[in-house]
Amino acid sequence: MDSLKENILEKLEHLRENAQQEVLDFLQFLEWRKQNRQESQLSVVSEESDAAWLETDLSNLGSYEPYDWQTGELDKGLPIKYVSGMGVVIVEE
């Protein structure tokens, strides 16, 4: 076993059980995040696409007809937040 894994295991052995549970929760979060990144890149907006969108010429937006929103179309959406290094992500409740 390499020294990093040995160091981690040694530190885990000295933690109280509730702290070990927190470590396990964090590891499960890391696995979840990796799996969800692979499954769907749609929930993460990259910095490059953010920059491209911000540089888009929006001067012709006034030429479109106003959209007539129907009842229920503007219901509350999914909660999001910005995570540094990841971009905008959907907050799981």
Side-chain angles (χ1 to χ4, degrees), residues 23-89:
V23 172
L24 178 60
D25 291 344
F26 181 68
L27 290 171
Q28 289 170 333
F29 163 75
L30 292 176
E31 288 175 336
W32 172 87
R33 186 176 71 177
K34 180 180 177 185
Q35 180 181 19
N36 284 303
R37 278 186 184 167
Q38 291 172 350
E39 287 177 3
S40 173
Q41 290 298 322
L42 296 177
S43 63
V44 179
V45 179
S46 71
E47 291 180 16
E48 294 99 27
S49 65
D50 288 349
W53 183 84
L54 290 172
E55 294 171 5
T56 303
D57 178 17
L58 302 176
S59 62
N60 67 340
L61 285 179
S63 65
Y64 293 103
E65 291 291 321
Y67 183 79
D68 186 21
W69 294 99
Q70 302 299 312
T71 305
E73 283 187 304
L74 291 176
D75 288 341
K76 186 175 180 181
L78 296 173
I80 62 169
K81 70 177 183 178
Y82 177 78
V83 177
S84 181
M86 291 179 61
V88 178
V89 295

Side-chain angles (χ1 to χ4, degrees), residues 2-19:
D2 67 356
S3 62
L4 178 60
K5 288 181 182 178
E6 289 174 358
N7 194 7
I8 292 170
L9 289 173
E10 181 180 320
K11 293 195 179 295
L12 276 173
E13 289 175 0
H14 293 87
L15 290 177
R16 293 188 313 265
E17 188 171 336
N18 63 338

